Amino acid sequence: MDVLALEAKKADALEPEKKAAPRPKPKAPKKAKRIVYFEVEIVDLKTKEKLLLLDKVEPTATVLDIKALFHKSYPKWYPARQSLRLDPKAKCLRDEDILQTLPVGTTASFYFSDLGPQLTWGTVFLAECAGPLIIYLMFYFRLPFIYSPKYDFTSSKHWIVHLACICHSFHYIKRILETLFVHRISHGTMPLRNIFKNCGYYWSTAAWMAYYINHPLYTTPYYGQQQVNAGLYIFLFCQIGNFSIHVALRNLKTPGSKTKKIPYPTKNPFTWIFWLVSCPNYTYEVGSWIGFTVMTQCVPVAFFTLVAFIQMTVWAKGKHRSYLKEFRDYPTLRSSILPFIL
């Protein structure tokens, strides 16, 4: 056995030595990408005076970031009050626009204009709704200096007057609660001066319709109980529908996100109108006021309904065009506010 083992060792010695496998060369470390910083110049839109020069602004900075930097130098102009644009005649840039995606070189000029004092949209909505609610109740309880002194703090003998007050109050309480707990408002603020225009319209029309509905000489609808019931059913149906749409739109957005999505019907039957209309919240809102008009048979209510329909049609058409522009697969069957008509 020892002889055989010796022979085996000799044979192994005669074989050529196996070459060791070559080791892979270490990869050269990647060179860090060189960040190209921007130089941002902010110029007054009216006077063309240079207000601020920002050096070494990161390319991923947003317009909101630039507004925040500008705010540090000019504390009175907080970001919501600033309007920045690339050209004096161009549109205002959005807060989420990124610097490196804008059509500018490494040296960018932004034109600044002051939007004036701002209010949050939530505050505006609350003021718009609280005013009509309070004003209508003042007429309902017939406070002094509204009607003849003999009618001060008296109550109407017509039950439709009390029903109208309940429906009107319900509508605006619903809107206040939706503003507080349902709506996710994408727009941040609006100019303070606009609240006087918005509230002036809602408050004055509420006073106008409340004056006639609660007037001691108010006459009930021509077709009596049947007309009142028909108007009430329309009103309640559309109020539920309007609330259902607002909940569906809320669930479509995640908190803090500005990403837009196509709204689709849910399991709630009141949302199925989404198959035919882009803005069913406006459809139901107009329907509610049509029901209130039928129920009260009041000319000021009819006028308010007509004006509201015209305004909401403008809003709905704008939103419909926005959907068509942003989404190539947007349902073509949908209309703006009225199925197959408008």
Side-chain angles (χ1 to χ4, degrees), residues 94-221:
R94 298 176 300 175
D95 285 347
E96 59 270 22
D97 287 338
I98 300 173
L99 183 58
Q100 64 184 358
T101 63
L102 297 175
V104 295
T106 54
T107 301
S109 294
F110 288 85
Y111 291 89
F112 161 80
S113 60
D114 181 14
L115 298 176
Q118 300 288 301
L119 284 175
T120 63
W121 276 94
T123 303
V124 175
F125 289 154
L126 290 174
E128 288 177 356
C129 298
L133 175 63
I134 296 170
I135 289 171
Y136 193 98
L137 291 174
M138 290 171 60
F139 284 86
Y140 174 74
F141 290 112
R142 295 177 178 173
L143 298 184
F145 309 109
I146 295 178
Y147 302 112
S148 177
K150 66 179 180 179
Y151 295 113
D152 290 351
F153 298 109
T154 59
S155 180
S156 175
K157 62 182 179 180
H158 304 301
W159 68 275
I160 175 57
V161 173
H162 308 298
L163 180 62
C165 180
I166 293 171
C167 290
H168 188 275
S169 300
F170 172 80
H171 173 73
Y172 282 103
I173 291 173
K174 166 184 162 292
R175 288 186 60 177
I176 290 172
L177 293 176
E178 285 176 341
T179 301
L180 293 174
F181 303 109
V182 178
H183 293 319
R184 285 179 177 153
I185 303 170
S186 56
H187 298 288
T189 61
M190 71 175 293
L192 174 64
R193 60 182 178 274
N194 285 6
I195 195 173
F196 300 104
K197 177 183 66 176
N198 291 23
C199 290
Y201 170 72
Y202 284 107
W203 294 12
S204 60
T205 51
W208 188 26
M209 64 177 73
Y211 176 82
Y212 284 97
I213 295 175
N214 298 287
H215 199 283
L217 301 180
Y218 170 77
T219 55
T220 57

Side-chain angles (χ1 to χ4, degrees), residues 3 10 13 40 100 126 128 169 201 211 224 233 266 274-275 282-283 304-305 335:
V3 175
K10 288 180 180 180
V40 176
Q100 64 184 358
L126 290 174
E128 288 177 356
S169 300
Y201 170 72
Y211 176 82
Y233 295 150
T266 65
F274 265 126
W275 292 119
Y282 295 147
T283 309
F304 177 82
T305 303
S335 301

